[in-house]
Amino acid sequence: CQDYKEAKRRIFFLDYSGTLVETSSMNMYLKKGGTARSWHYSNGGSRRPGGCLETRDPISDSVRSSLIELSRDSLNHVFVISTDLRDELEHALEGIPNLGLIAENGYVYKLSPEDEWQPVVEDSGNGAWYGGSASVPDSMPDSLDDPYGGVGVDPGDPKLHGWQDVVVNVIMPYTGRTNGSFCWRAPSAVSFNFVLADPELGYLQADNLFLELEYVLAGMPLTVEKGKGFVTVRLAGVTRGAAVAAILKSINRKANLGTDGNKNKVDFIVAFGDDIEDE
């Protein structure tokens, strides 16, 4: 379009799961008689926090090529936004030059592959496992066996403390009575995920869980959110919008200082997503 051609500095924010890659193939695979574990390995999935499995396809060659083409334009800043842990997102999109990343639903971001991860907010009191900043676990457990009855979280794990143990204790009974659901952990969030559960039961349980979490967590610096297949509790201030605002501020500051060879501020912004959370 004409606005794109005339822009002096453009920025793109692209949702990863459900927009750049499909998320439904695991459900179809299970319906055909496969297992989550065999699907996981046959499709190159990654280990998720709390014993959860990846539930999406790898990025396609055509999408990768499009991202490379967009990112190579010196007037463009391209960012992929995801709920994934930062190391997983980096691995999935490695080799794409100049690509910026926003991981863990806005908790951390990096302006380019060479930059360090920057946290949007700090969480200094949530335990060594999460680092209290932008750090990540050195490794995940090797075994895919889940000794906690499908919940994926051991409530006695000494690595899980601070506000997250309160949240997990509320979520665990719901995972226990919702077949196909699981508890998902990230440095800034804990989620009840029911994408593989019966939809009617899943949404019923999600509505009840949402109300209970709001009651239990009242007055704490946390937010409770409902979305497509999940209920998530995250640190207050951690949103995709907050990450976008931080990125725009950083890029425009560099433009003012002339440190990146382009003294023009952002004058063209495009965002793509598939869920209300992406708004």
Side-chain angles (χ1 to χ4, degrees), residues 9 248-266:
R9 189 189 289 264
L248 288 173
K249 182 178 180 180
S250 177
I251 291 175
N252 285 330
R253 182 173 63 249
K254 288 184 177 182
N256 286 333
L257 298 175
T259 57
D260 64 353
N262 184 346
K263 295 185 178 181
N264 296 297
K265 293 186 177 182
V266 174

Side-chain angles (χ1 to χ4, degrees), residues 113-222:
E114 295 76 28
D115 289 334
E116 297 294 326
W117 287 102
Q118 300 295 324
V120 174
V121 300
E122 293 290 345
D123 180 23
S124 58
N126 196 50
W129 195 90
Y130 296 109
S133 62
S135 62
V136 294
D138 293 330
S139 63
M140 298 300 293
D142 294 329
S143 173
L144 282 174
D145 294 332
D146 179 6
Y148 308 114
V151 175
V153 178
D154 175 11
D157 186 347
K159 299 173 184 176
L160 181 64
H161 59 88
W163 60 268
Q164 291 204 355
D165 60 349
V166 177
V167 177
V168 169
N169 286 336
V170 175
I171 290 178
M172 285 181 64
Y174 288 87
T175 61
R177 57 178 177 257
T178 311
N179 188 33
S181 69
F182 53 84
C183 184
W184 185 91
R185 291 186 287 165
S188 67
V190 180
S191 292
F192 168 72
N193 189 302
F194 58 96
V195 292
L196 299 181
D198 175 78
E200 184 175 356
L201 175 61
Y203 279 105
L204 176 62
Q205 297 282 30
D207 288 341
N208 293 332
L209 174 60
F210 180 83
L211 294 175
E212 184 173 350
L213 285 170
E214 283 203 319
Y215 176 78
V216 172
L217 304 176
M220 297 179 68
L222 304 167

Side-chain angles (χ1 to χ4, degrees), residues 18 26 69 206-207 221-222 233-234 245 267:
M26 181 176 181
E69 183 177 355
D207 288 341
L222 304 167
V233 177
R234 69 179 74 257
D267 57 354

Side-chain angles (χ1 to χ4, degrees), residues 3-23:
D3 289 341
Y4 177 88
K5 294 178 180 179
E6 295 177 355
K8 302 300 183 182
R9 189 189 289 264
R10 317 178 190 102
I11 189 164
F12 297 82
F13 294 103
L14 311 173
D15 173 54
Y16 183 56
S17 179
T19 303
L20 296 182
V21 295
E22 295 290 341
T23 57

